[in-house]
Amino acid sequence: MSERVAQHLAGQREAILERLLTLIRFPSVSTDPAFAEGMRGAREFLLDRLRVIGMQDVQLLDAPAGQPAVYGAWTGAGPDKPTIMIYGHYDVQPADPLELWQSPPFEPTLRDGRIYARGASDVKGSTTIAIETVAAFLAVEGGCPVNVKLFLEGEEEVGSPSLPALIEAHRGLLAADAMLSADGGGAAGKVPVLNIGCRGITALQFSLRTAKKDAHSGKVGGAMRNALHEMARLVATLHDDDGRVVVEGFQAGAGPLTNALRVESASLPLDEPAWYAEFGAAPFGDPAYTVRERTTLRPSVEVNGMWGGYTGRGGKTVTPAEAHAKLTMRLVPGQDPAAAQAAVKAHLERHAPNGVALEFHYSPGGTRAYTLGADHPLRAAASAVLRREKGAEPAVMRLGGTVPITTLFQESLGMDSLMFGLASADEDAHAPNEFFRLSSLDEGLRLWPLLLTEIGRMPAAAFRRTS
Amino acid sequence: MSERVAQHLAGQREAILERLLTLIRFPSVSTDPAFAEGMRGAREFLLDRLRVIGMQDVQLLDAPAGQPAVYGAWTGAGPDKPTIMIYGHYDVQPADPLELWQSPPFEPTLRDGRIYARGASDVKGSTTIAIETVAAFLAVEGGCPVNVKLFLEGEEEVGSPSLPALIEAHRGLLAADAMLSADGGGAAGKVPVLNIGCRGITALQFSLRTAKKDAHSGKVGGAMRNALHEMARLVATLHDDDGRVVVEGFQAGAGPLTNALRVESASLPLDEPAWYAEFGAAPFGDPAYTVRERTTLRPSVEVNGMWGGYTGRGGKTVTPAEAHAKLTMRLVPGQDPAAAQAAVKAHLERHAPNGVALEFHYSPGGTRAYTLGADHPLRAAASAVLRREKGAEPAVMRLGGTVPITTLFQESLGMDSLMFGLASADEDAHAPNEFFRLSSLDEGLRLWPLLLTEIGRMPAAAFRRTS
């Protein structure tokens, strides 16, 4: 039946594009209270759209002190069919620096077959594809192949601070057999790719102090610890010359890569010289692993920010008494976020000499790496759709980044996820001149009906094995 | 004759204090154009004062694009008497952070026998002492024991950028046998101290680049050089665990400390535990040297500022492509500033691995260390005055910091200098709640007449030996 749905969607293409552009025009920047009106506008547009297409139980799910999520369900497929939560988010990153945009970030502009606008790729494009797919099933077939719960978050771009509380408050409404995410994934493009996992993350910020106050470098230089020298020496202990993390205990649980994992990782080839060339960077990293392995199957420790002393124009002859650094650690399956975080903290404490005081600022724990099991029905369904549509067995890949909701939904609702977004990695999400390809919109409007149909062929029981 | 002058000065004490407070009230911050009016006010006050006390040739010496200096001469002592340039400066450091001041920085406040205000210690207090000493000689004796050229700079706190050009433009006016500085020195306090030198300085700023743009740490973490890691590793190569500089060629010319220098350095004892305790810092530095040696007779390399990546609130998962550092190097006699600077630059280049591009920002060269020769008449005169007044042979010390004018006047006008300021090291110059002791004002008004009288006993010829 998805063929009629796909035809309907193709016929509605101009109207769908117009609705996507309308959604994009709401400047829904979640991190900045100045954009509260844009957030409200996007929410109301979505609430209205879900009601119009015939979703039930349409409502805002309030977060205690955060941005409410938009919710709507359609459960007419009956208890024997799987219930699928479809995840998307309506908030976007800030558009700064504005001066680098070729067209205004919240006035979507069509150029060269692309929609240029903040949020077009991340993730209003793919969110619209998901909603319109459900709309088309309801309009053409009078129902969906599966039960659907649409959950559109408003805090993804600020790290979903209210999401755990929100889930806790609405466990019943949110119960489902599995989650299909419009965010993440690599469904677009010529090479069929199945995105089955992501690295986890934990973070640590610390300040280092060598004296109670800054001193004049003329007066003390040569006889007093300089906080910047100490920060440099400490950060330099985290990696070896090849960039391998040399923090004792950090990799606990990560284990060596199995042959199966290495074969899986190699299923999607990477042109390593081209990859480095795109960044204008030289090859780097543990030579025992491929670049894809280094960035998806191996953990990392990265200093994201480091500062201290005088950083303004000209000079200041100061021997700084304090320095600061922000770190994030990417985690792979098997690593416990709190343990990895504690290992880095202990390493820094162990390497700080007498006379160097450390102060840590962090939320204990973090997000585990996520992997969708090889035998999960979502994986089988998505593979079948991609295989048929693209004429080849999909390559399997993992994200080097982190999609906290995959871990969160699994840990709190026991729900596995598949990312099936249509955004491509080159679309400058989070950067000026973000865009979304119109061809990806069209592709999404073909793939999503196929995927829901494929999932609908599976009995709900297939999702409920306890393993 | 200095006794009558000193008595006159003591009698005028309230009027002198009032004039000092008036001078302090001009917010003469040279670095910030917003304070142009304060700079102008201080200059006009000084021009007026020099005319009133009977100086000749009173004028502003214009710097091409900088702050003019205030100049006035009195040459009535005749050609057989030495001509002494008296140096001071009327500009002050910015008062920020304002919220840490207990009383407004430009409303001088008397508390506990101290004048609290920006510029009180550095260096309007000692500059006023010098001017009022000349004024008293002219008023009481009708003349000074020596010929005097008062030179009050307006750019000392911004590194005297126009001074070389200004000197070049006014070589005739500025010609003198020696220079006596109201800035620097340790004439105040119970222990008689003769300040006979200072370390030199050279500076270097550099940026480090590992890629053409920042990247998402999830996407690249583990496979791309992080500019902050590279900065840390590079800075960590500059010193060993004890803080010894390990930059090849940097110490060229510095040589080992002679026994004479070590004895000289020990003439002013330092309570090392108390010194460290004042800064709240642990003992540190090359254990082969005392703290005074480390800070005055040994060269140093200090990172004054270091920064890169995300330094705002919260976190950002970025792998930064660039990082920055500002360095200054303190130099000792024998070191060539350009050579020391080049050695540090070469060290950084040598230690930057492939894939790390360095870009340097610096003015070639710098300021040599300065030493007033052991047999210089200024040294003999000041020693005699301090010995008589304080009842003990003055200890000899050097500044760990740099007084570029000492080197500049020597190199450009062949003029040696003695620093004979009354500021004390604990008076929080350059910091909030700067103060100047009223007791130091009184002491200066006794010592300066004695010193000028002592110098006046020496024939001009004593200053003109070619050595």
Side-chain angles (χ1 to χ4, degrees), chain A residues 223 233 241 276 304 314 318 326, chain B residues 223 233 241 276 304 314 318 326:
Chain A
R233 297 174 72 83
D241 287 355
Y276 282 109
N304 306 121
V318 61
K326 292 173 188 280
Chain B
R233 297 173 73 83
D241 287 356
Y276 282 110
N304 306 121
V318 62
K326 292 173 189 281

Side-chain angles (χ1 to χ4, degrees), chain A residues 199 212 217-218 221 223 226 229 233 239 241 276 278-279 302-304 306 308 310 312 314 318-319 326 330 400, chain B residues 199 212 217-218 221 223 226 229 233 239 241 276 278-279 302-304 306 308 310 312 314 318-319 326 330 400:
Chain A
R199 289 197 286 190
K212 66 183 177 189
S217 70
N226 176 319
H229 301 182
R233 297 174 72 83
H239 303 84
D241 287 355
Y276 282 109
E278 193 206 320
F279 290 103
E302 294 280 323
V303 179
N304 306 121
M306 180 170 78
Y310 180 73
V318 61
T319 295
K326 292 173 188 280
R330 297 287 170 175
Chain B
R199 290 196 285 190
K212 67 183 177 189
S217 70
N226 176 318
H229 302 182
R233 297 173 73 83
H239 303 85
D241 287 356
Y276 282 110
E278 194 206 320
F279 290 103
E302 294 279 324
V303 179
N304 306 121
M306 180 170 76
Y310 181 73
V318 62
T319 296
K326 292 173 189 281
R330 297 287 170 177

Side-chain angles (χ1 to χ4, degrees), chain A residues 166-200:
Chain A
L166 196 153
I167 290 175
E168 204 46 52
H170 303 283
R171 293 183 70 86
L173 273 187
L174 296 176
D177 293 311
M179 190 259 264
L180 202 56
S181 174
D183 195 14
K190 265 177 275 185
V191 184
V193 173
L194 205 60
N195 194 324
I196 56 104
C198 57
R199 289 197 286 190

